[in-house]
Amino acid sequence: KMTRLLEVGFAYGISAIFMTEGLKNNKFKNKNKNKNKNEKYQLVSIDPNQSTQWHNLGSYNLKKMNSLDFHKLYEKKSLNILPYLLKEKNKQYDLIFIDGWHTFDYALVDLFYSTFLIKKNGYLILDDALHPGVSKLIKYIDTNYMEFLQKITNGPETFGIYIKKGEDKRKWNYHKDF
């Protein structure tokens, strides 16, 4: 049922291949239903290094899969693009996959903006959960965001998987050590 997906980190495009194939399937299944015919099925990827470090391999792989029509790439840092995406009115995402810069601070910025960009009942997935920076972020989420992000515990240990259950209603001074 998903139509709008977002990923931080594109690299070789492996995750993007699976996500765009899912979008193609969803579009085909919903083609003849009474859904909004103008609804855009799209994966937005953010990766500042696609053409430099990754030599456009992610884009090349999506082209080989005939998936470019379902994809939009921002080749800038997520800390600059995520606030820009937040300004787009009524554009929220069904799934956000965070697999970008793995330091705690950069991943925290990605998480922070993602909590505003994800729809209610949407999925938020952090990859490489065993990496020290990401692991620390997951501890932070589990102690400070549990009121509105519900953890899914039956997934692989290399992922932190959450469902957004509502809005952030914490008090202005809320904090639990993690």
Side-chain angles (χ1 to χ4, degrees):
K1 297 180 182 178
M2 296 183 181
T3 59
R4 294 185 48 78
L5 312 176
L6 171 66
E7 72 172 342
V8 177
F10 181 45
Y12 298 116
I14 304 302
S15 299
I17 288 170
F18 286 98
M19 288 189 266
T20 54
E21 287 301 306
L23 290 172
K24 283 187 213 177
N25 266 349
N26 289 348
K27 185 174 184 178
F28 178 75
K29 286 179 189 173
N30 294 322
K31 189 176 183 180
N32 297 320
K33 293 182 182 175
N34 290 334
K35 287 196 83 169
N36 182 356
K37 301 277 185 204
N38 296 325
E39 190 164 30
K40 190 164 188 172
Y41 290 73
Q42 186 177 54
L43 166 65
V44 173
S45 299
I46 303 169
D47 194 321
N49 302 310
Q50 180 55 208
S51 62
T52 55
Q53 180 179 353
W54 305 111
H55 307 288
N56 290 312
L57 285 171
S59 297
Y60 173 79
N61 287 332
L62 285 185
K63 184 177 180 179
K64 295 286 277 182
M65 297 295 295
N66 295 316
S67 295
L68 285 178
D69 291 345
F70 293 87
H71 188 249
K72 179 172 179 71
L73 172 65
Y74 288 97
E75 199 166 348
K76 297 188 184 300
K77 289 185 177 183
S78 59
L79 65 95
N80 296 315
I81 294 300
L82 292 171
Y84 167 78
L85 294 176
L86 194 56
K87 290 179 185 178
E88 292 183 351
K89 299 263 187 243
N90 301 318
K91 289 205 175 173
Q92 288 192 306
Y93 296 87
D94 299 299
L95 179 140
I96 299 177
F97 184 69
I98 299 175
D99 187 19
W101 201 255
H102 284 31
T103 62
F104 175 79
D105 50 348
Y106 272 79
L108 176 62
V109 169
D110 293 343
L111 169 77
F112 176 75
Y113 282 109
S114 293
T115 62
F116 296 102
L117 289 164
I118 195 81
K119 289 180 181 177
K120 184 177 180 182
N121 296 316
Y123 290 88
L124 182 60
I125 303 172
L126 289 90
D127 194 16
D128 298 318
L130 301 178
H131 186 281
V134 179
S135 176
K136 190 73 162 178
L137 179 60
I138 288 172
K139 288 178 185 169
Y140 175 72
I141 297 167
D142 292 347
T143 55
N144 285 277
Y145 281 43
M146 62 198 164
E147 298 295 323
F148 62 100
L149 290 180
Q150 178 185 344
K151 189 170 192 170
I152 296 175
T153 57
N154 61 349
E157 68 176 338
T158 57
F159 290 117
I161 305 171
Y162 300 87
I163 297 176
K164 183 177 180 181
K165 288 304 192 182
E167 298 304 316
D168 183 357
K169 294 183 181 175
R170 297 174 295 167
K171 291 183 180 181
W172 70 273
N173 62 349
Y174 181 90
H175 176 77
K176 287 187 180 180
D177 285 334
F178 56 101

